[in-house]
Amino acid sequence: PSPAIERATYGKKILRIYGAGFSQNSLIEINGVVVPIQQTFSYSAGSVEVRGTRKVLGLKKRDPNAIVVIERDVRSNVLAF
């Protein structure tokens, strides 16, 4: 199935993305840039997470961030975060 993002959270320098169709090989794209940091996948939680500061992850404080998960070259819906 295609990856689908339901929601995302960011706190304590961890970005968690919840949804379906993710795997340990998923790539996380934030504002058009693939995050070059190893992510952690949890099947039971239905999430992928990546650790880093807002700056390292490319997260903007004020403007909405466009988050996409890429799985086997298939892009998820865009989540405005």
Side-chain angles (χ1 to χ4, degrees):
S2 298
I5 300 175
E6 294 174 7
R7 63 187 170 95
T9 61
Y10 181 77
K12 298 183 181 179
K13 298 183 182 178
I14 300 173
L15 174 67
R16 285 188 181 92
I17 304 169
Y18 298 90
F22 307 153
S23 78
Q24 62 189 10
N25 298 318
S26 296
L27 299 175
I28 299 171
E29 180 184 285
I30 300 173
N31 298 321
V33 178
V34 174
V35 177
I37 300 171
Q38 179 62 39
Q39 51 84 8
T40 304
F41 168 69
S42 170
Y43 181 79
S44 60
S47 68
V48 291
E49 68 179 45
V50 65
R51 295 176 181 268
T53 63
R54 286 182 176 273
K55 184 175 182 178
V56 168
L57 296 177
L59 290 170
K60 301 173 189 172
K61 282 189 175 183
R62 298 192 179 166
D63 297 329
N65 295 284
I67 298 175
V68 173
V69 174
I70 304 168
E71 178 64 34
R72 294 180 303 274
D73 293 327
V74 178
R75 298 170 62 83
S76 71
N77 55 305
V78 177
L79 178 72
F81 176 74

